[in-house]
Amino acid sequence: MNNAHIEVQNLSKTYRVPQRQSGLGAALRSLARREYTEVTAVSHLSFAIQPGEMVGFIGPNGAGKTTTLKMLAGLLHPSGGTAVVAGYTPWERRPEYLRRISMVLGNKSQMLWDIPPLDTFHVLGEIYGITPTDLQQTVEELTAVLDMGDLLTKPVRNLSLGERMKCELVAALLHRPSVLFLDEPTLGLDVSMQRRLRQFIADTNRRTGATMILTSHYMADVAELCPRVVLIHQGRLLYDGLLGQLSDQLAPFKLIRLALDRANGEGEWRHRLPEGTAVLDPDPANLTLRVPRRETSAITAYLLNTLPVVDLSVENPPLEAVIDQIYQEAAV
Amino acid sequence: MNTNHQGGLALMRATWLSWMQHRSFFFILAFGWMMQPLIFMFVWATAAGDQTVGGLTRGEIVAYYLTLILVNQITYSQTNWTVGDLIRGGDMNRLLLLPMSPLYNTLAAELAGKVVYLTFVLPITVGLALLLKPEFNLTAVSLIAFLPALLLAWLLRFLWGYALALLAFWAARADALLAVQDALVFLLAGQAAPMLLLPPLLRTLAVILPFRYMVGFPAEVLTGQLDAAQLAFGFAMQIGWLAVTVLLYQLMWRRGVRQYTAVGG
């Protein structure tokens, strides 16, 4: 995998967290001697990402997604392991590296608060050494796509969250980065704004060929943008592959939908369900059952034999349900 | 260090623009900083009466303190108080993502702030000078030597404070040290009393430690309290302490960034 744009091996990060009981006595004792606990945020993570690829990091809160992104963006030093991004070790923080990457943090603003976005863009232009002509061209291009002409001259603090997020994306793309880290870019936005930004991100990926890693708690973001997902749980890698195959590999159950014949004793179906079957929708016209994956065929055969089935289909559970199940179990 | 003067300059212009919107805030800050030296000016000027204290006449004391007010305003690095917040609150993240040392951000705020509050302090000091009739014994040497002394004083005070503020990488409330720093400056940098009036032990400390070279020294230079040898010695100390501070800053920065935990999104 010599041509990988991002190559991560055994990346680990352990935080030392000062530990203290509440109360004055404990506060005084901790002055004399601090006790620390070690918290493992990321543990032996390995993966490789090809140029232009768009990968989604998913996992519950505190799984280690953001910590991993921060190490790749050079904000954090790892406790172990290696990473090479665009030929550089991120945490050496070389200016040439920082000029090639960009990071959008959904809950931290890159914009200067009291002045209009256009002024911030000009400052960033100077910082990244973009020529005024290039800068103007890029700004015009991006703001046209995002339809934000009238936002450019209002102070940032007067913008709505969605409007500000548009500015953040423009700010992140001014220097045409070849690697883009998007940490919860749609956090707190309404559905249509989410869709809008998603579309923009997808277009940007196609147009610029930038390699992108995205974290999001909105599965719609990931499902629409990222063919490939990396599932991180408790700092470890649980799954790395196509989103479409995630349920196949990780969901321990399937859904059986059936329609029963109303004329033919539909009321008794409840008593004839095999063990381990959960009813998700009790409407006999659209009866939905959750069954253990291993027993799917046996249960299907049983249902066809014992119930007046008109129609039957077997499906993978929706992604959200699978993810929820994984998040709730300590390990799969 | 990640040098990027072009970006730093642009950042300064932008910061200045945004701070001009909060002018009155800076005016109030600046007013607060003027109070202490003003009070001590009146104390010592009254003590001098028609005679002298420590060889200084009333008019010379007024001249010294008016200069000190200006020097203090120009060298006081108020932005260092916010460096700890940047680190604790996770705002350092966005600065670390830029191909530019985060020092530029603080430097830009520092310079932008000075331009704003000097528009308030300069007229007031001139007004006070017209009222209180200071005795300036200006010479060509004191005038010429004042500017580099002032510049070095500011560099030293700024960078020293910044290096202290970087302790926030390790300890959550490191800015307590900045308060200690302010107390030492007050005592040893010619604010509570001009150097000439300090008791011998304090005076020795003042001469050795860096604080006098952050505030008091340029004021002594301008008001002609120093002979040629003292002047040369003072500059040597300023440059020496500045070199030490640069090393301290580099050490703190390199170690601190490794330690950084990049809290919050």
Side-chain angles (χ1 to χ4, degrees), chain B residues 210-263:
Chain B
F211 309 106
R212 172 196 180 211
Y213 305 99
M214 299 173 184
V215 190
F217 178 66
E220 293 164 28
V221 170
L222 188 72
T223 51
Q225 296 178 20
L226 305 173
D227 61 30
Q230 288 169 323
L231 200 65
F233 176 78
F235 273 116
M237 289 299 279
Q238 262 191 325
I239 291 166
W241 273 114
L242 186 60
V244 170
T245 308
V246 169
L247 291 178
L248 180 71
Y249 155 72
Q250 284 176 342
L251 183 80
M252 298 285 290
W253 179 253
R254 288 205 192 113
R255 293 281 173 90
V257 164
R258 290 194 65 98
Q259 175 79 26
Y260 184 47
T261 48
V263 287

Side-chain angles (χ1 to χ4, degrees), chain B residues 106-261:
Chain B
T106 305
L107 208 53
E110 177 74 15
L111 294 173
K114 290 206 188 316
V115 176
V116 180
Y117 56 64
L118 278 178
T119 59
F120 170 82
V121 174
L122 266 177
I124 292 206
T125 319
V126 170
L128 282 172
L130 292 174
L131 271 176
L132 299 171
K133 301 187 181 63
E135 274 172 55
F136 277 104
N137 315 310
L138 295 178
T139 64
V141 176
S142 65
L143 269 175
I144 293 166
F146 175 66
L147 281 182
L150 182 65
L151 181 69
L152 286 168
W154 169 67
L155 277 174
L156 178 61
R157 197 174 184 187
F158 170 72
L159 206 57
W160 176 274
Y162 191 79
L164 288 186
L166 289 183
L167 274 172
F169 279 125
W170 291 269
R173 303 295 328 197
D175 37 18
L177 271 177
L178 288 175
V180 173
Q181 146 95 354
D182 278 359
L184 288 171
V185 165
F186 171 68
L187 193 63
L188 296 176
Q191 293 207 27
M195 271 282 287
L196 289 170
L197 303 182
L198 287 179
L201 176 67
L202 281 184
R203 196 189 300 193
T204 312
L205 276 177
V207 168
I208 297 168
L209 294 174
F211 309 106
R212 172 196 180 211
Y213 305 99
M214 299 173 184
V215 190
F217 178 66
E220 293 164 28
V221 170
L222 188 72
T223 51
Q225 296 178 20
L226 305 173
D227 61 30
Q230 288 169 323
L231 200 65
F233 176 78
F235 273 116
M237 289 299 279
Q238 262 191 325
I239 291 166
W241 273 114
L242 186 60
V244 170
T245 308
V246 169
L247 291 178
L248 180 71
Y249 155 72
Q250 284 176 342
L251 183 80
M252 298 285 290
W253 179 253
R254 288 205 192 113
R255 293 281 173 90
V257 164
R258 290 194 65 98
Q259 175 79 26
Y260 184 47
T261 48

Side-chain angles (χ1 to χ4, degrees), chain A residues 70 93 95 109 114 127 157, chain B residues 2 4 21-22 94 96 262:
Chain A
K70 282 178 178 167
R93 306 182 35 70
S109 181
D114 288 318
I127 290 174
R157 67 180 136 84
Chain B
N2 236 329
N4 184 342
Q21 310 203 12
H22 311 294
R94 77 184 163 80
L96 282 170

Side-chain angles (χ1 to χ4, degrees), chain A residues 258-271:
Chain A
L258 42 159
L260 300 182
D261 185 356
R262 282 170 187 271
N264 219 332
E266 59 167 27
E268 293 164 45
W269 60 266
R270 258 183 204 283
H271 309 294

Side-chain angles (χ1 to χ4, degrees), chain A residues 10 18 23 69 82 105 172 182 199 243 309 330:
Chain A
N10 279 322
L69 278 198
T82 59
L105 299 161
L182 299 159
Q199 187 60 47
L243 181 65
V309 175

